[in-house]
Amino acid sequence: MTESNVRKPGKNGGPAMSAPACPAPILSHTAIQMAHGGGGRISRELVEKLFVPAFANPMLDELHDGAFLPMGGERLAFTTDSHVVTPLFFPGGDIGKLAVCGTVNDLAMCGARPLWLSAGFILEEGLPVETLERVVESMRIAAANAGVKLVTGDTKVVDRGKGDGLYINTSGIGRIEHDALVPSRVREGDAVLLSGDIARHGIAIMVLREGLEFEGEIESDCASLAAPVMALLEAGIDIHCLRDLTRGGLATALVEIAASAGVDICIEERITPVNETVRGACEILGLDPLYVANEGRFVAFLPGAQVERAMEILGRFEETAGACIIGRVERKEESGRGTVSLKSAIGVKRIIELLSGEQLPRIC
Amino acid sequence: MTESNVRKPGKNGGPAMSAPACPAPILSHTAIQMAHGGGGRISRELVEKLFVPAFANPMLDELHDGAFLPMGGERLAFTTDSHVVTPLFFPGGDIGKLAVCGTVNDLAMCGARPLWLSAGFILEEGLPVETLERVVESMRIAAANAGVKLVTGDTKVVDRGKGDGLYINTSGIGRIEHDALVPSRVREGDAVLLSGDIARHGIAIMVLREGLEFEGEIESDCASLAAPVMALLEAGIDIHCLRDLTRGGLATALVEIAASAGVDICIEERITPVNETVRGACEILGLDPLYVANEGRFVAFLPGAQVERAMEILGRFEETAGACIIGRVERKEESGRGTVSLKSAIGVKRIIELLSGEQLPRIC
């Protein structure tokens, strides 16, 4: 209720508007690039150099798909994802299904049973209400299928030309019922299990954007992975580490895990499944399927002795019916550096690296 | 891994792309209007006719600031808000402070102690990294001041011209330590306590947008309300209902509470504090301060006998130092309809209604 009486906001806008003393630049770029959202090295720099130092706390520092939180004798997983996919609708899904499945999957990857979701909509002025209705209906179905409840929400509208139809943030809470499924538990000799063929989601989006036509429609793999993951855990499968393959694809997930765990991972190209139409589209588009985003695939590290039982369980679910073993953990690196190598069909090994930028913008 | 071999996605895009059978229109508009995000009647229609039917469950149906969830013998509050304020920086705050305080306040309004936040950033390509750094620093300070930890996050980037600098979603989890502070507990004779002068936030933004100049800078009231609210509850003040005054302002909050509770509320214009500079700006802009957004004010309903003690507690906190009683609950309506009336300085009563649209777009 006190009033200052000198400052004129129209002229300098007060202290909150003035530029701070210029600190040393901490990032490699001075302006945000599309690649800052791509899940590769530049994204990682943003997280590690800007967000983590600002918000440092033991829960955040895990850099996992979600945070682990103690509550009333139980442990929660808490996760958030904004979705900006374009176009809004694509074969096999839409932004609504993606928003629900993406957050459900992040919880499942924490070994948490997904329970509750929030939905925050940012709508662009002029969006047809019918589009929103279709997206909401898709979210309803996806939430029902995944067994989660959408319990709180928010809607904002931005001016025409300041959005792109709609963006959706979903945050989620799950109950952790099992040991942490984290890189530090990965062991030499672990089998690398992939839950199905890769690169469908990214390619389904790119084919649509580019107006390409193929014999054989490419459908996104967008799906909730909670049911098969919970089934594995309930059956006592000792999953050491679990990661869904989103931005940056299989390669990025493996490189991050190898680095965190300090292990060398070798996978074989010949047995890493890629649908033939997807492979053809990748060739035309100049993309490596290893780096293309998925929205319904995971990689799991588990003891070799449990592989057979795990495969039997995953075979019961449509979304993991194509699961297979694609490689193994060759050794624990004493130095803490870890590498991923890909053995080609003719037996040549090459090292897989993080992409510095991203291949496909706005695929989730 | 199965393939269809007829459909050409370039031509019809498959089932997910085709329009559904046209249902009867359920909303008054066929395209999204700015007012759908304004917190008035049109926003409410969107929530009640589209979101609530789709996601119906006992937790969502409360339409409170957050959901109430059981977990391990405790109860959680869970809330979400996307922030799209423009400009990003304003006297008294910025989008980062707003994003933290907004979600902290939603939790506090549920009678929950705010514990953990998520942050989802949607960045526009080309945003200066320095701007993001300033916003993140502001979030860090706001989170530390409010005693919450930011534990998980996500970053997406959209193409130049598809965003407006940056949007931030914050979702939050709190522990409910007290009885529900909901309209159904409002009683005849309850005092209506307002935590400070109204309309600062919306007017601070509008003055900046319009380039107006006043003697006396108008600073947003943007602040965390968790500390004073927790202090009231810990002191045993029996708050019946608590609501923060965001989009739609004091009038909207009171009308919604009156309708939910089925009570008649009367407030007095003469004793409802509005800063003189803010009042002058409202006159120039043609705005009614009762409907202008606040970001650091609440209204509480409590027994008259506890007013003195509550005021003494609120006086200890800078953000609630201007708290005062502005009216009372006159009667419980048997019919279930409730009204809000404003007694003017000359004693004339007028009924306060919900605005159909919104006065101020993108103020949070």
Side-chain angles (χ1 to χ4, degrees), chain B residues 65-119:
Chain B
D65 282 317
F68 298 88
L69 310 169
M71 173 62 79
E74 304 223 40
R75 283 182 313 148
L76 303 185
F78 182 31
T79 181
T80 192
D81 254 321
S82 296
H83 297 83
V84 300
V85 66
T86 179
L88 298 174
F89 301 88
F90 48 83
D94 59 62
I95 190 171
K97 181 179 180 186
L98 200 60
V100 170
C101 293
T103 293
V104 161
N105 290 347
D106 280 346
L107 291 171
M109 294 306 118
C110 298
R113 180 179 302 279
L115 297 175
W116 302 300
L117 296 189
S118 65

Side-chain angles (χ1 to χ4, degrees), chain B residues 255-333:
Chain B
V255 170
E256 288 182 354
I257 291 168
S260 299
V263 295
D264 288 344
I265 299 168
C266 182
I267 63 169
E268 291 194 44
E269 191 162 29
R270 188 178 48 82
I271 55 177
T272 300
V274 184
N275 165 292
E276 278 314 306
T277 313
V278 170
R279 189 184 299 279
C282 280
E283 279 167 17
I284 290 168
L285 293 162
L287 298 171
D288 181 342
L290 286 178
Y291 291 91
V292 173
N294 312 269
E295 287 291 338
R297 296 290 182 254
F298 64 76
V299 64
F301 290 74
L302 69 170
Q306 297 196 315
V307 164
E308 194 177 339
R309 175 102 178 93
M311 294 292 289
E312 185 271 314
I313 292 165
L314 293 176
R316 296 178 206 158
F317 297 89
E318 190 185 337
E319 54 274 34
T320 51
C324 56
I325 300 299
I326 58 165
R328 61 190 289 275
V329 176
E330 297 206 320
R331 58 171 182 156
K332 188 94 177 172
E333 277 275 345

Side-chain angles (χ1 to χ4, degrees), chain B residues 3-301:
Chain B
E3 291 178 39
S4 64
N5 51 21
V6 180
R7 229 177 246 125
K8 311 224 169 150
K11 287 209 172 120
N12 71 16
M17 296 298 301
S18 57
C22 188
I26 56 169
L27 299 181
S28 326
H29 296 80
T30 57
I32 294 297
Q33 317 288 311
M34 291 304 293
H36 280 115
R41 190 173 292 158
I42 293 180
S43 297
R44 205 183 164 93
E45 187 193 59
L46 189 66
V47 172
E48 291 182 350
K49 296 201 175 162
L50 183 55
F51 296 129
V52 170
F55 302 116
N57 65 66
M59 292 168 273
L60 179 69
D61 287 348
E62 291 280 332
L63 291 181
H64 203 276
D65 282 317
F68 298 88
L69 310 169
M71 173 62 79
E74 304 223 40
R75 283 182 313 148
L76 303 185
F78 182 31
T79 181
T80 192
D81 254 321
S82 296
H83 297 83
V84 300
V85 66
T86 179
L88 298 174
F89 301 88
F90 48 83
D94 59 62
I95 190 171
K97 181 179 180 186
L98 200 60
V100 170
C101 293
T103 293
V104 161
N105 290 347
D106 280 346
L107 291 171
M109 294 306 118
C110 298
R113 180 179 302 279
L115 297 175
W116 302 300
L117 296 189
S118 65
F121 294 89
I122 298 178
L123 309 178
E124 186 185 2
E125 183 187 18
L127 176 77
V129 167
E130 193 211 344
T131 302
L132 181 60
E133 287 170 5
R134 288 173 62 196
V135 169
V136 166
E137 174 62 7
S138 171
M139 293 178 79
R140 184 189 70 74
I141 294 168
N145 287 344
V148 290
K149 288 192 167 57
L150 200 150
V151 293
T152 189
D154 174 61
T155 308
K156 294 293 189 311
V157 179
V158 295
D159 325 63
R160 219 177 278 266
K162 301 291 185 189
D164 197 9
L166 77 159
Y167 302 140
I168 306 176
N169 176 282
T170 42
S171 300
I173 300 177
R175 183 191 294 114
I176 297 175
E177 300 178 349
H178 299 275
D179 284 344
L181 314 174
V182 289
S184 58
R185 296 187 57 231
V186 173
R187 294 286 168 263
E188 187 171 323
D190 276 0
V192 180
L193 185 156
L194 174 67
S195 72
D197 64 325
I198 58 171
R200 278 179 176 273
H201 177 71
I203 295 303
I205 299 280
M206 287 307 286
V207 160
L208 196 60
R209 282 197 207 149
E210 302 294 327
L212 300 178
E213 297 192 10
F214 292 92
E215 289 299 316
E217 183 176 64
I218 298 170
E219 283 207 353
S220 166
D221 51 66
C222 179
S224 161
L225 298 169
V229 167
M230 291 299 120
L232 288 175
L233 293 172
E234 279 161 19
I237 300 294
D238 183 23
I239 300 176
H240 291 158
C241 179
L242 188 65
R243 186 76 57 101
D244 55 345
L245 310 178
T246 54
R247 288 180 284 181
L250 175 62
T252 302
L254 291 178
V255 170
E256 288 182 354
I257 291 168
S260 299
V263 295
D264 288 344
I265 299 168
C266 182
I267 63 169
E268 291 194 44
E269 191 162 29
R270 188 178 48 82
I271 55 177
T272 300
V274 184
N275 165 292
E276 278 314 306
T277 313
V278 170
R279 189 184 299 279
C282 280
E283 279 167 17
I284 290 168
L285 293 162
L287 298 171
D288 181 342
L290 286 178
Y291 291 91
V292 173
N294 312 269
E295 287 291 338
R297 296 290 182 254
F298 64 76
V299 64
F301 290 74

Side-chain angles (χ1 to χ4, degrees), chain A residues 1-5 7-11 13-14 16-18 20 23 26-27 29-34 36-37 46 50-51 54-55 57 59-60 65-67 69-72 74 76 78-82 84 89-93 115-130 132-134 136 139-140 149-159 161-164 167 169 171 173 175 197 200 212-217 247 273 275-277 362 364, chain B residues 1-5 7-11 13-14 16-18 20 23 26-27 29-34 36-37 46 50-51 54-55 57 59-60 66-67 69-72 74 76 78-82 84 89-93 115-130 132-134 136 139-140 149-159 161-164 167 169 171 173 175 197 200 208 212-217 247 273 275-277 362 364:
Chain A
M1 300 271 282
T2 60
E3 290 177 39
S4 65
N5 50 20
R7 226 178 248 124
K8 309 221 170 151
K11 284 206 175 126
M17 297 298 301
S18 58
I26 56 169
L27 299 181
H29 297 81
T30 57
I32 293 296
Q33 317 287 311
M34 290 305 292
H36 280 115
L46 189 67
L50 182 55
F51 295 129
F55 302 117
N57 65 65
M59 292 170 273
L60 180 69
D65 282 317
L69 310 169
M71 173 61 79
E74 306 222 40
L76 302 186
F78 181 31
T79 182
T80 192
D81 254 321
S82 296
V84 301
F89 300 89
F90 48 83
L115 297 173
W116 303 298
L117 296 188
S118 65
F121 294 89
I122 298 177
L123 310 178
E124 185 185 4
E125 184 187 16
L127 176 76
V129 167
E130 194 211 343
L132 181 61
E133 288 171 3
R134 288 173 61 195
V136 166
M139 294 178 78
R140 184 188 69 74
K149 287 192 167 56
L150 201 151
V151 294
T152 189
D154 174 59
T155 307
K156 294 294 188 311
V157 179
V158 296
D159 324 63
K162 300 292 184 187
D164 197 8
Y167 302 140
N169 176 283
S171 299
I173 300 177
R175 183 193 293 116
D197 64 324
R200 278 178 176 273
L212 300 177
E213 297 194 10
F214 292 91
E215 289 299 315
E217 183 176 65
R247 289 180 285 181
N275 166 291
E276 279 314 307
T277 312
R362 297 185 57 190
C364 63
Chain B
M1 299 273 281
T2 59
E3 291 178 39
S4 64
N5 51 21
R7 229 177 246 125
K8 311 224 169 150
K11 287 209 172 120
M17 296 298 301
S18 57
I26 56 169
L27 299 181
H29 296 80
T30 57
I32 294 297
Q33 317 288 311
M34 291 304 293
H36 280 115
L46 189 66
L50 183 55
F51 296 129
F55 302 116
N57 65 66
M59 292 168 273
L60 179 69
L69 310 169
M71 173 62 79
E74 304 223 40
L76 303 185
F78 182 31
T79 181
T80 192
D81 254 321
S82 296
V84 300
F89 301 88
F90 48 83
L115 297 175
W116 302 300
L117 296 189
S118 65
F121 294 89
I122 298 178
L123 309 178
E124 186 185 2
E125 183 187 18
L127 176 77
V129 167
E130 193 211 344
L132 181 60
E133 287 170 5
R134 288 173 62 196
V136 166
M139 293 178 79
R140 184 189 70 74
K149 288 192 167 57
L150 200 150
V151 293
T152 189
D154 174 61
T155 308
K156 294 293 189 311
V157 179
V158 295
D159 325 63
K162 301 291 185 189
D164 197 9
Y167 302 140
N169 176 282
S171 300
I173 300 177
R175 183 191 294 114
D197 64 325
R200 278 179 176 273
L208 196 60
L212 300 178
E213 297 192 10
F214 292 92
E215 289 299 316
E217 183 176 64
R247 288 180 284 181
N275 165 292
E276 278 314 306
T277 313
R362 297 185 56 191
C364 64

Side-chain angles (χ1 to χ4, degrees), chain A residues 175-216:
Chain A
R175 183 193 293 116
I176 297 175
E177 300 178 351
H178 300 274
D179 283 345
L181 314 175
V182 289
S184 57
R185 295 187 58 230
V186 173
R187 293 288 167 262
E188 187 171 323
D190 277 359
V192 180
L193 185 156
L194 175 66
S195 73
D197 64 324
I198 58 171
R200 278 178 176 273
H201 177 71
I203 295 302
I205 299 279
M206 287 307 285
V207 160
L208 195 61
R209 282 198 208 150
E210 302 294 328
L212 300 177
E213 297 194 10
F214 292 91
E215 289 299 315

